[in-house]
Amino acid sequence: LAVPMIAPAAEAPQTEATAESEGKEYTFRGIPWGSSLEEVENSDFLKKYTDYEYNKDYHAILINDENLTVAQKSTSAAMYFGNSGLYQVAYMLSEKHSNLNSYVEDFNDVLDALTKKYGEPDDTEDDWKDDLYKDDPSDYGMAVGAGHVKFIRRWYGNDSSLTIGCIGDNFEITNIICYNSLSLQPEETEDDGL
């Protein structure tokens, strides 16, 4: 399970939106950041699934269970560990579509579900590298697939960020949902010590 990179915020930018989000927590399913591999394996969350394994190359528990869903969408997930324990969890929507706009619709469905749960995103990034399809929302799937745009939304809590993204290249589109620790960073994970 190769997870495309969406840069997590090292810390929440100080804006009016983040001031409103102070006190909100987005830790992952009650599992504290920094939890050991053993603690995560014994968590109520992971006990619900049978199809998972620890992958030493990714320093992650990879979950490919058919019962794993987000906003009623089938997903796979990766729970990343470093020297300090769990620092990131990423979901990738797994349904494949022949119509590229369906990926954008999936992104919007997940965005709607997360907005109902957490409120409006603290940060919105529509990163257009090429404006060719910008004026026609019916072509946004083509724009994402061609790498012309990526859609990213972020929420911030005291110790976590939640990021969703719809990104693509070479007409392969990925919808990803990442929960990140704001205090444990990936550079602390070069030698996971597990």
Side-chain angles (χ1 to χ4, degrees):
L1 174 72
V3 176
M5 284 305 297
I6 296 178
E11 58 183 61
Q14 293 304 309
T15 66
E16 187 175 318
T18 55
E20 290 175 11
S21 69
E22 297 253 339
K24 290 194 287 188
E25 289 306 320
Y26 306 116
T27 55
F28 185 76
R29 308 282 181 166
I31 302 171
W33 298 123
S35 293
S36 69
L37 178 62
E38 182 179 350
E39 290 169 326
V40 173
E41 287 179 325
N42 290 315
S43 70
D44 290 339
F45 169 74
L46 203 56
K47 286 180 183 178
K48 294 187 288 187
Y49 305 105
T50 57
D51 190 3
Y52 69 88
E53 65 179 334
Y54 180 74
N55 183 300
K56 289 184 180 187
D57 293 333
Y58 289 115
H59 307 288
I61 293 174
L62 306 179
I63 308 168
N64 290 302
D65 196 283
E66 64 185 29
N67 297 316
L68 184 62
T69 62
V70 172
Q72 301 174 341
K73 309 281 183 194
S74 295
T75 67
S76 55
M79 304 177 82
Y80 293 95
F81 295 84
N83 286 334
S84 299
L86 181 70
Y87 72 92
Q88 180 185 61
V89 178
Y91 288 106
M92 287 179 45
L93 300 189
S94 50
E95 186 173 347
K96 299 296 180 194
H97 302 290
S98 57
N99 180 342
L100 297 179
N101 283 330
S102 296
Y103 291 98
V104 177
E105 291 169 10
D106 287 348
F107 172 80
N108 287 324
D109 290 345
V110 172
L111 174 60
D112 289 345
L114 292 175
T115 299
K116 284 178 187 171
K117 185 172 184 176
Y118 299 119
E120 290 297 320
D122 295 316
D123 186 23
T124 297
E125 179 184 334
D126 295 340
D127 184 13
W128 288 92
K129 294 181 181 356
D130 185 323
D131 291 349
L132 180 63
Y133 301 109
K134 189 173 186 176
D135 295 330
D136 188 357
S138 69
D139 282 332
Y140 280 6
M142 180 68 73
V144 173
H148 292 187
V149 65
K150 59 183 174 182
F151 299 115
I152 297 178
R153 305 293 182 266
R154 288 188 181 92
W155 292 260
Y156 301 100
N158 287 336
D159 66 348
S160 304
S161 68
L162 168 58
T163 304
I164 65 169
C166 182
I167 57 179
D169 192 33
N170 291 328
F171 300 97
E172 294 287 328
I173 298 177
T174 302
N175 281 304
I176 189 166
I177 303 120
C178 291
Y179 291 80
N180 292 287
S181 167
L182 292 175
S183 60
L184 302 176
Q185 298 300 313
E187 58 267 12
E188 295 179 35
T189 64
E190 291 175 13
D191 174 20
D192 73 358
L194 298 175

